Amino acid sequence: MKQNRIITSILAILFFQLANAQAPATGRYYIRLANGQALEAENNTYKNDGCKVQIWKQRFTLNQIWDISNAGDGKFYIKNVGAGKNLDAHAAAVNTNASKVQLWQVLPANMNQKWIFQRVSANRYTIRNAASATNKVLDVTGAA
């Protein structure tokens, strides 16, 4: 029986395979939680707007690869390589705990598609949504 944990929005410390830096360099990454599971777009719907984002065993598939690019002012876009869509906090609920995080078509002007990386330690960051006035960060349901 497969177990998946949906990414909801908003306090997981994610592990990146990065060089020591205050913020990640732009580039292509697997985003992993400290427990080793990878952030991914749900395999059957990853090309659709609203696709759920979850964690899963790292499989090195396109739906688990993310392009991080500079959005200016210390903010970044996180785009799923397989889908070509951005990580997007549901606009109506960016200040609410447990709000939906999804993939959505690239909309560069939308703050809910911009993310701020806050370094916790070497190669570990929290990811905060730039649109959240209450500083909500990416989180996983189920205490993963």
Side-chain angles (χ1 to χ4, degrees):
M1 175 181 215
K2 71 178 188 178
Q3 289 184 329
N4 60 10
R5 302 204 186 250
I6 300 171
I7 299 298
T8 60
S9 73
I10 319 231
L11 185 61
I13 298 173
L14 301 178
F15 177 79
F16 287 80
Q17 299 169 335
L18 302 173
N20 289 335
Q22 289 301 315
T26 58
R28 193 161 278 184
Y29 297 97
Y30 293 100
I31 301 175
R32 292 186 302 155
L33 278 74
N35 69 7
Q37 292 196 2
L39 183 70
E40 73 170 24
E42 196 273 326
N43 194 43
N44 295 323
T45 62
Y46 73 96
K47 296 207 177 212
N48 300 333
D49 282 344
C51 168
K52 76 178 175 182
V53 178
Q54 60 192 16
I55 59 171
W56 201 268
K57 175 183 173 189
Q58 191 164 1
R59 297 175 291 160
F60 305 99
T61 53
L62 286 177
N63 64 320
Q64 289 186 340
I65 302 173
W66 303 88
D67 278 335
I68 296 175
S69 61
N70 194 330
D73 296 324
K75 298 169 184 69
F76 294 85
Y77 300 111
I78 303 173
K79 181 189 286 186
N80 184 268
V81 171
K85 295 179 183 289
N86 279 349
L87 189 64
D88 175 287
H90 192 275
V94 294
N95 293 309
T96 305
N97 288 335
S99 64
K100 182 178 181 180
V101 174
Q102 60 197 356
L103 291 188
W104 204 265
Q105 65 184 300
V106 176
L107 300 168
N110 285 12
M111 289 298 285
N112 59 310
Q113 289 189 358
K114 296 179 183 180
W115 301 87
I116 299 167
F117 290 82
Q118 296 172 303
R119 187 173 182 203
V120 175
S121 63
N123 299 327
R124 292 177 63 140
Y125 298 84
T126 57
I127 302 175
R128 180 168 54 91
N129 187 265
S132 176
T134 56
N135 296 318
K136 300 298 181 189
V137 299
L138 205 56
D139 191 11
V140 180
T141 60

